[in-house]
Amino acid sequence: MVGEHSSKQYDQELEAIRSKVLLMGGMVETQFDEAVNAFRVGNTEQADKVVADDHAVNQLEVQLDDACSHLIVRRQPAANDLRTIMATIKVITDLERIGDEAAKIARTAKSLHERGMVSFNHYETVRTISRATADMLHDALDAFARLDGKAAVQIIAQDDVIDHEFRTIMRSTITFMMEDPRTISSALDVLWVAKAIERIGDHAKNIAEYVIYVVEGRDIRHSKPQAVAAGGEG
Amino acid sequence: MVGEHSSKQYDQELEAIRSKVLLMGGMVETQFDEAVNAFRVGNTEQADKVVADDHAVNQLEVQLDDACSHLIVRRQPAANDLRTIMATIKVITDLERIGDEAAKIARTAKSLHERGMVSFNHYETVRTISRATADMLHDALDAFARLDGKAAVQIIAQDDVIDHEFRTIMRSTITFMMEDPRTISSALDVLWVAKAIERIGDHAKNIAEYVIYVVEGRDIRHSKPQAVAAGGEG
């Protein structure tokens, strides 16, 4: 029913949406980097910027959802093409929530530094988890850009490392608090930052799962990691 | 282009999907109730059941996403009808994440009770927030069932109450921890439970926003509460 000309137009419009999603991905990556930096050096202006930038990310979410709807209505895609749009809609939601988490990190960074509560090496605590998560997010966006299913499988495995690191942070923070109860309030802020970072890792994992859904046509959400890896090789 | 007969079939198929989404909503409501109860009375079997039930919820998410895709491909809905499906897809995602949060509450409940760490009135701390959130979730699902935009506007306002209650819990928990550092580990578990409940409130708010999107054809995500209320009256 759909001619070659129309199908080509469809591909072009879909590519335009995908480019904008990658732009949105770049925006939330910057938000995350800047939020962690504001937390590290106590730059409250940078923290304010991250929160302000979240409005632009939110607007992009609404625009991109709209663009996906219009594409479906105008081009009436077949099942295979629709899968890509459905996955894109889900990726957009995850990117928006990453922006929310970055804004939370920025707000906590600001509050912590304004209260002058940085009583232990707060950045050291989250350094490993924030670097691992930044890499994971970058890799997930890259896999989405290249629709690289094999890379996506590897990204999903990285989430376990981040979850493990979060539990390590929790234990060490509890020790800090018990040794010096005056640090409890600021240590909790550090824990909230770590939790927000861990959530960003979850969202990056979701993005990788949607890439596999597009590439391999199978829904691997809620599968065991071994099953994912096995399918990814096959 | 779409005849009356086909349009009627579309409506029937959409209604079938919406019924199943409400069934999924009932499942996550039960999960949440049982998770809070397991936390309250220390019922580790009930906690295990909540975690096990999450698999059924996850399966339903995948099935329902599929059903939405098939409906779009088969019936090629117009813009207006597509809006309802798009909102339904987003609601499904939020319901699945509510199930995840309920499972987290259940796991924490189990760990807390198995360690025999319930050293202060842990349930009292989260009683108000858990009741308010259960009501909000129920109201959101009800608004989705009846596509009631006015109710949805009121539900969105309830989220501020829950966020405020969460901050109150945080302050009182910090006081507990400082007074008796031996309670730090268990108090943190209580905080994680409160945080998971607060997230469930966020997801209920998202559901209410999608109801307004369907009913009024406007996207009120990321709008100020006053703007939402003004539009809801108009």
Side-chain angles (χ1 to χ4, degrees), chain A residues 31-100:
Chain A
Q31 269 188 298
F32 177 40
D33 280 354
E34 291 184 344
V36 169
N37 193 58
F39 177 68
R40 186 170 65 84
V41 301
N43 185 337
T44 56
E45 275 170 37
Q46 194 169 36
D48 287 337
K49 179 181 175 297
V50 172
V51 175
D53 285 350
D54 204 34
H55 296 291
V57 170
N58 292 345
Q59 288 310 311
L60 209 47
E61 180 198 14
V62 173
Q63 277 173 33
L64 281 168
D65 276 353
D66 248 28
C68 290
S69 291
H70 284 130
L71 183 62
I72 293 172
V73 169
R74 261 202 322 272
R75 301 290 167 211
Q76 307 192 334
N80 228 26
D81 289 328
L82 186 63
R83 188 185 295 134
T84 311
I85 309 179
M86 296 285 279
T88 305
I89 292 167
K90 299 261 186 178
V91 167
I92 294 163
T93 309
D94 280 300
L95 290 178
E96 190 270 331
R97 307 237 162 122
I98 291 173
D100 286 346

Side-chain angles (χ1 to χ4, degrees), chain A residues 97-151:
Chain A
R97 307 237 162 122
I98 291 173
D100 286 346
E101 299 295 341
K104 274 183 211 166
I105 294 169
R107 274 190 220 100
T108 307
K110 190 177 172 177
S111 154
L112 197 65
H113 284 281
E114 280 181 348
R115 279 146 55 217
M117 296 281 272
V118 187
S119 53
F120 66 100
N121 201 335
H122 65 292
Y123 175 66
E124 274 306 307
T125 311
V126 301
R127 195 164 56 95
T128 305
I129 199 172
S130 65
R131 286 191 183 171
T133 304
D135 286 348
M136 187 176 167
L137 175 58
H138 191 80
D139 292 348
L141 289 168
D142 212 43
F144 178 75
R146 296 183 287 110
L147 290 178
D148 183 339
K150 289 215 169 179

Side-chain angles (χ1 to χ4, degrees), chain A residues 61 76 90 93 221-222, chain B residues 61 76 90 93 221-222:
Chain A
E61 180 198 14
Q76 307 192 334
K90 299 261 186 178
T93 309
R221 290 176 288 176
H222 320 306
Chain B
E61 181 199 13
Q76 305 191 335
K90 299 262 186 178
T93 309
R221 288 175 291 174
H222 319 306

